[in-house]
Amino acid sequence: MNNEPPVASCVENGGPAVRRLHSPEAVVIIVIVVMAAVLVAFEGLPVMDVLQLLAGAGLVAVVVVALGRAAPAKGLRVAVRALLTPGPTV
């Protein structure tokens, strides 16, 4: 009689485990989606403007995370300098 437990299929093929969202990440995503819906529904902003706002915020988040992982101290200085630099005047 074989007393060994069965091996799970995910262990057999050696594939990476699926990473799920943790609670804080899920809450941030839900809040962003709800705020976008509020801007469209109650404030009357055009959908394209809200999508551009979300895309810009996502791009800033990706750049800040990438800089933070590359060199935390230098990346933080570059991000802060970029945020504090005045933009072009029209």
Side-chain angles (χ1 to χ4, degrees), residues 85-90:
T85 303
T89 56
V90 179

Side-chain angles (χ1 to χ4, degrees), residues 63 67 71-85:
V63 168
L67 287 174
K74 182 179 179 184
L76 183 60
R77 280 183 300 193
V78 170
V80 169
R81 189 177 303 131
L83 290 173
L84 296 178
T85 303

